[in-house]
Amino acid sequence: MAPFPDEVDVFTAPHWRMKQLVGLYCDKLSKTNFSNNNDFRALLQSLYATFKEFKMHEQIENEYIIGLLQQRSQTIYNVHSDNKLSEMLSLFEKGLKNVKNEYEQLNYAKQLKERLEAFTRDFLPHMKEEEEVFQPMLMEYFTYEELKDIKKKVIAQHCSQKDTAELLRGLSLWNHAEERQKFFKYSVDEKSDTEAELSEPSPGITHLPPEVMLSIFSYLNPQELCRCSQVSTKWAQLAKTGSLWKHLYPVHWARGDWYSGPATDLDTEPDEEWVKSRKDESRAFQEWDEDADVDESEESSEESIAISIAQMEKRLLHGLIHNVLPYVGTSVRTLVLAYSSAVSSKMVRQILELCPNLEHLDLTQTDISDSAFDRVLTLGGGLPYLEHLNLSGCLTVTGAGLQDLVSACPSLNDEYFYYCDNINGPHADTASGCQNLQCGFRACCRSGE
């Protein structure tokens, strides 16, 4: 069955929250040690809160959806019975009040599991029935504008009776795939339904051929790709296609600029204010990192923001290294880490090992040393396709280290090779030398001239 327009689909969003809660309590149930009194009571308290929310959900649906449908269609629908929810709540209360020792806990656990399994078997199909039977009836008896108004009221009622931030996360259809899978694991019906859907042609975007989806994904930025990877396993696999990750700009991404095109299309000469901000962030982050015990209340607001941005950049770099590059590294052609506040020699070493086919590498004004290139040199393959290399302002890179690196980069173009004049470089006569002296607003890193 084709999905209904989101703005008039009154069931799906609240039901995602309910299904999420089902998955969570099934997961907790499987991990609870019923011999431990603290675990036992914590589970029952969690179940009590969950089923109170179930009851609230049913009451809202009765009043704002089923009740209105009955009035409009002049038909009685007996779809919501409070008995099972009330019985489950009484069961949890009994366990909290009357169960006193380990023997009683273990006996109670057997009854609890049986009752929860029975409830889950009924509850999930019940929600499915509402989506497949009552949503079409609503579309028949109410206008588009009326349904939009009903949905707003339903969501508002849920939000008014539950912590808003938590509930909106639950209602969001962009839940993490891992959380959704916790529910699907306990829904017997979902697998057969999915197989039935796949056997019939569908106009939905999820059924487009992979090559078409890849073409669509090619218009997305890295942030959007990561969001799409949470939709389904199929999309997650497509989002890890190497051609979508050819050009990496982590420093820009950490600051909200999600450009991911070729370096030639990027304004490679940042303005003076941008450069100054990156240097201030790097200095603040290094001072904070060296003395992690400093009282944060003594930091200025500007320093605090700078540290937060640098920390975000560091997390993003770790995420790329551990979650993205192992899949797409061989396809990466451009890596720009210029003015990074958080990159280290170790990170660069890991990245270069995962990205052997780089053509453009910019490490301008980063605090790296010769050790950043150890793995490239020791593995023997080097960077055979590297044409553009920028090490301007990398003061701790030595002439000897630079010479070794150049020998491992046979395609390096002298015209696009930049390094600090304070380094005794291997191409002093032909290479561009220190880029910092080619711009009017910059001065030599050391002399200041």
Side-chain angles (χ1 to χ4, degrees):
M1 180 177 293
F4 298 97
D6 180 64
E7 58 187 357
V8 295
D9 185 346
V10 301
F11 289 111
T12 299
H15 281 182
W16 269 117
R17 171 61 178 169
M18 300 304 108
K19 294 171 184 177
Q20 181 191 45
L21 290 173
V22 169
L24 291 174
Y25 79 59
C26 289
D27 188 53
K28 288 180 181 178
L29 184 66
S30 67
K31 295 178 180 178
T32 297
N33 177 8
F34 284 93
S35 297
N36 184 295
N37 183 258
N38 290 333
D39 284 3
F40 173 79
R41 296 187 66 81
L43 173 66
L44 290 187
Q45 289 168 353
S46 174
L47 286 170
Y48 189 84
T50 294
F51 276 72
K52 288 286 285 187
E53 186 169 341
F54 286 159
K55 190 171 182 178
M56 175 198 75
H57 164 77
E58 301 282 59
Q59 290 170 344
I60 292 172
E61 283 193 346
N62 273 333
E63 181 176 354
Y64 291 91
I65 301 176
I66 304 301
L68 292 176
L69 181 58
Q70 290 181 156
Q71 291 177 16
R72 185 64 59 90
S73 65
Q74 297 184 341
T75 306
I76 302 299
Y77 303 109
N78 185 24
V79 295
H80 282 161
S81 174
D82 182 53
N83 293 338
K84 290 184 179 179
L85 289 173
S86 297
E87 289 172 3
M88 295 301 293
L89 288 168
S90 297
L91 178 66
F92 306 145
E93 290 176 346
K94 177 183 175 182
L96 287 168
K97 292 179 181 178
N98 300 334
V99 176
K100 303 297 183 183
N101 55 52
E102 182 179 348
Y103 176 76
E104 292 178 352
Q105 288 171 193
L106 294 175
N107 283 335
Y108 178 90
K110 182 179 179 181
Q111 180 189 6
L112 177 67
K113 290 177 181 178
E114 291 175 351
R115 296 281 294 276
L116 282 173
E117 287 173 3
F119 175 83
T120 305
R121 283 196 302 269
D122 292 338
F123 190 54
L124 296 177
H126 159 70
M127 287 189 286
K128 185 177 179 182
E129 179 190 14
E130 290 179 335
E131 294 167 10
E132 295 185 350
V133 176
F134 291 101
Q135 180 66 43
M137 294 178 68
L138 289 168
M139 301 292 289
E140 179 183 350
Y141 285 105
F142 292 88
T143 67
Y144 202 84
E145 291 302 318
E146 286 176 326
L147 284 176
K148 285 171 63 176
D149 187 56
I150 290 173
K151 179 173 181 178
K152 287 180 182 179
K153 290 179 179 177
V154 168
I155 299 299
Q157 284 298 313
H158 278 88
C159 292
S160 68
Q161 299 184 47
K162 183 74 176 173
D163 177 72
T164 304
E166 178 187 349
L167 186 62
L168 289 179
R169 285 197 297 271
L171 295 178
S172 171
L173 297 182
W174 284 103
N175 277 325
H176 293 295
E178 179 181 353
E179 291 181 341
R180 288 201 301 274
Q181 288 165 1
K182 285 180 181 177
F183 156 67
F184 287 130
K185 183 170 60 176
Y186 298 100
S187 177
V188 178
D189 300 318
E190 290 292 340
K191 183 177 180 181
S192 59
D193 290 342
T194 302
E195 290 172 347
E197 290 173 4
L198 292 176
S199 66
E200 300 176 3
S202 170
I205 189 172
T206 56
H207 297 286
L208 290 175
E211 58 272 20
V212 176
M213 288 304 305
L214 275 179
S215 178
I216 295 172
F217 277 15
S218 68
Y219 291 94
L220 305 181
N221 65 40
Q223 184 186 44
E224 293 163 341
L225 282 174
C226 289
R227 288 174 175 168
C228 286
S229 71
Q230 298 175 17
V231 173
S232 67
T233 302
K234 180 180 177 181
W235 281 25
Q237 292 172 342
L238 286 173
K240 291 177 181 176
T241 302
S243 60
L244 303 175
W245 298 90
K246 292 176 67 174
H247 310 289
L248 309 184
Y249 303 89
V251 178
H252 292 264
W253 296 349
R255 291 156 182 84
D257 177 359
W258 294 99
Y259 175 79
S260 57
T264 52
D265 296 340
L266 183 71
D267 182 7
T268 55
E269 199 57 57
D271 59 41
E272 186 173 5
E273 182 178 353
W274 194 90
V275 172
K276 182 178 182 301
S277 296
R278 301 296 78 75
K279 289 182 177 179
D280 290 344
E281 287 170 9
S282 181
R283 182 168 53 253
F285 180 68
Q286 288 175 5
E287 291 174 355
W288 171 85
D289 200 31
E290 290 171 359
D291 187 7
D293 294 330
V294 66
D295 185 355
E296 294 183 3
S297 63
E298 297 177 2
E299 299 170 0
S300 68
S301 59
E302 291 183 358
E303 288 177 333
S304 179
I305 293 172
I307 292 169
S308 296
I309 293 174
Q311 289 174 322
M312 184 184 304
E313 181 188 317
K314 187 174 183 179
R315 289 194 297 271
L316 192 151
L317 286 167
H318 278 298
L320 282 173
I321 292 169
H322 297 291
N323 302 321
V324 178
L325 294 183
Y327 300 96
V328 305
T330 55
S331 300
V332 175
R333 298 293 182 267
T334 301
L335 175 63
V336 176
L337 291 166
Y339 303 96
S340 171
S341 307
V343 74
S344 65
S345 294
K346 179 181 178 181
M347 289 181 183
V348 173
R349 190 162 61 245
Q350 293 173 311
I351 292 172
L352 295 184
E353 182 180 5
L354 294 167
C355 304
N357 299 320
L358 279 174
E359 298 173 359
H360 183 116
L361 177 61
D362 190 346
L363 295 165
T364 301
Q365 294 285 351
T366 53
D367 187 24
I368 62 166
S369 63
D370 293 351
S371 65
F373 312 110
D374 285 349
R375 199 70 62 86
V376 171
L377 301 175
T378 56
L379 289 177
L383 296 171
Y385 306 107
L386 189 67
E387 298 178 357
H388 182 121
L389 175 62
N390 195 333
L391 297 172
S392 303
C394 298
L395 300 181
T396 52
V397 175
T398 67
L402 192 60
Q403 181 71 62
D404 290 339
L405 177 61
V406 169
S407 66
C409 303
S411 301
L412 194 60
N413 187 333
D414 289 351
E415 185 181 353
Y416 303 116
F417 180 27
Y418 307 94
Y419 57 90
C420 182
D421 274 347
N422 288 295
I423 300 173
N424 182 21
H427 293 270
D429 296 331
T430 56
S432 298
C434 181
Q435 189 185 37
N436 291 326
L437 300 181
Q438 297 174 10
C439 310
F441 64 82
R442 291 184 183 166
C444 176
C445 303
R446 289 187 175 172
S447 68
E449 299 175 357

